[in-house]
Amino acid sequence: MRADELFTDPALAATVAAATERLPSPTPEARESLRATLDRTERAPTEAQWPPLLETPRQKKDSRYAEPATSHRPVVGPALVLAKRAFRLAFQPFINEVLRKQVEFNEAILDSLALIYEQQRESARTQAAWRREVTERLARLEASRPRTPRRK
């Protein structure tokens, strides 16, 4: 049985619903355990923060604007700086247009990486919670198991 069959086949959906009604009611301890697990895993939505790993690339995503023009040459340096500034001033609209798609791509990639990073963190958090729950269940099962002497 697949999930889409439940939506397309009303008879199958009715059969599944009838089968769930025949299930025994859970004990109050089981309900409380499930409620505690759900409360532990519930997290309030937080403001979207950029991961520290992506903070530096995020600050550099707009490649249309360069660092201020400088020169290390002592004599011709000021003339080169003036020429660089004049070039930038004259051609900045063209530079912006040429790099516009690159900037959009950079933003999209950074957003995707941030989403992947958050999903990875959430997955690790969920796995840790399930691992803790399985360990607790195993400990309870081992504690309730009758001890039998070992044979030599």
Side-chain angles (χ1 to χ4, degrees):
M1 169 177 34
R2 294 188 335 233
D4 60 344
E5 292 173 346
L6 288 173
F7 295 118
T8 57
D9 187 3
L12 182 60
T15 304
V16 170
T20 58
E21 289 176 4
R22 289 192 303 268
L23 289 173
S25 296
T27 63
E29 294 83 19
R31 284 186 194 163
E32 191 55 40
S33 172
L34 178 60
R35 187 175 314 282
T37 301
L38 291 175
D39 288 342
R40 271 196 322 263
T41 58
E42 185 178 28
R43 186 174 65 171
T46 59
E47 296 262 340
Q49 292 180 341
W50 279 88
L53 180 68
L54 296 176
E55 189 60 40
T56 302
R58 184 178 77 87
Q59 293 170 355
K60 296 180 179 182
K61 70 182 174 185
D62 195 350
S63 55
R64 294 176 289 192
Y65 302 103
E67 300 290 322
T70 60
S71 177
H72 65 282
R73 295 173 183 86
V75 177
V76 293
L80 287 174
V81 169
L82 182 64
K84 288 178 183 179
R85 287 182 183 167
F87 179 83
R88 273 286 191 182
L89 185 62
F91 291 103
Q92 191 65 49
F94 301 108
I95 293 169
N96 288 352
E97 188 55 36
V98 168
L99 293 178
R100 181 178 50 84
K101 287 195 179 234
Q102 181 65 49
V103 171
E104 291 172 1
F105 177 79
N106 291 352
E107 289 173 351
I109 288 294
L110 281 171
D111 289 343
S112 298
L113 286 173
L115 181 64
I116 290 169
Y117 180 84
E118 283 303 316
Q119 287 176 343
Q120 188 66 29
R121 282 185 60 209
E122 190 66 28
S123 175
R125 198 169 127 316
T126 303
Q127 283 180 349
W130 282 110
R131 189 177 303 116
R132 207 170 28 251
E133 182 180 336
V134 167
T135 304
E136 290 170 2
R137 281 184 177 181
L138 180 62
R140 283 195 308 265
L141 283 172
E142 287 177 345
S144 66
R145 187 178 82 181
R147 300 286 180 200
T148 56
R150 292 185 184 212
R151 293 183 195 177
K152 291 187 180 183

